[in-house]
Amino acid sequence: KSTVSVLNWFVRAPNTMTKGTTSRGERGHHSHTLCRRCGKRAFHTRLLRCASCSFPNPRQRRYHWSVQAIRRRTTGAGRMRFLKNVDRRAKNGFREGTVATRQVKSA
């Protein structure tokens, strides 16, 4: 190699991108944002599909190779605002709009 080409290499070397510290600054864009259905940061902004729950597909994404993920989002993992009262209402035959009869104390 000639000395001119070696000098050119030294001059241009700091400007070229390396695999180390300088390449960490290039990671400024986000490919995923928050999903409307599951709330995770897994909704792909270009593909418009959630990687976690498969929204907008009406069928929720779930696989048996990840039993823990199924357990995390199954019934009972949240508040169950409606379902927690169904057992009690079913015991009474789903009666509505009635008032309980007064119980008379036995003497």
Side-chain angles (χ1 to χ4, degrees):
K1 285 187 168 180
S2 67
T3 55
V4 175
S5 63
V6 172
L7 284 174
N8 284 341
W9 183 84
F10 277 117
V11 171
R12 281 184 286 151
N15 296 334
T16 57
M17 186 58 70
T18 61
K19 288 190 271 185
T21 308
T22 51
S23 63
R24 307 303 282 177
E26 293 290 310
R27 308 181 316 136
H29 67 281
H30 301 296
S31 57
H32 293 88
T33 186
L34 291 177
C35 174
R36 293 202 323 247
R37 180 159 70 185
C38 67
K40 286 189 174 183
R41 188 169 172 263
F43 189 77
H44 202 285
T45 51
R46 277 202 331 268
L47 300 179
L48 300 177
R49 170 116 354 199
C50 179
S52 178
C53 71
S54 181
F55 180 80
N57 189 6
R59 186 173 294 180
Q60 189 116 5
R61 174 185 177 271
R62 59 183 280 162
Y63 292 103
H64 288 291
W65 47 258
S66 182
V67 178
Q68 190 175 17
I70 296 174
R71 197 168 54 228
R72 241 183 254 125
R73 62 183 74 167
T74 191
T75 309
R79 282 174 59 183
M80 295 206 319
R81 285 171 286 209
F82 175 80
L83 204 56
K84 66 183 172 186
N85 298 318
V86 171
D87 284 339
R88 175 177 47 81
R89 289 170 51 227
K91 185 179 71 175
N92 297 316
F94 295 100
R95 65 182 178 209
E96 286 184 345
T98 61
V99 179
T101 56
R102 186 172 286 256
Q103 305 248 338
V104 180
K105 287 185 180 178
S106 59

